[in-house]
Amino acid sequence: MNVTITKTLDLKGLSCPLPIVKTAKAMKELRSGDVVEVLATDPGSVPDFQAWCRATRNELIEQTAEDGTYHYVIRKR
């Protein structure tokens, strides 16, 4: 992956929908094309981020999971 991360949100320990709520709030402060990295631990964040990105038309660039932490990289539309 060769993108510049504008902001990182460590949302580990939060239950859904809080990771989405906090990501949506942070995205409002970013410019179009900026990239946010999100770390979450709630397994429910996987379908939530996929659906949220589709609904908001933000680009889900990367989604990975390792040792119970879900990692998302999202580009603001």
Side-chain angles (χ1 to χ4, degrees), residues 2-66:
N2 189 16
V3 296
T4 301
I5 303 295
T6 305
K7 184 171 193 144
T8 298
L9 300 173
D10 184 350
L11 305 176
K12 293 182 279 190
L14 298 179
S15 298
C16 287
L18 283 177
I20 292 292
V21 170
K22 291 191 176 282
T23 300
K25 182 177 178 182
M27 293 292 265
K28 290 180 181 177
E29 300 169 1
L30 301 178
R31 295 178 291 172
S32 179
D34 284 349
V35 176
V36 65
E37 173 184 49
V38 181
L39 303 172
T41 50
D42 187 340
S45 67
V46 175
D48 284 0
F49 272 100
Q50 292 170 347
W52 182 77
C53 285
R54 274 194 308 272
T56 60
R57 296 178 23 211
N58 292 307
E59 180 185 2
L60 182 58
I61 298 171
E62 183 178 298
Q63 174 186 322
T64 59
E66 185 175 332

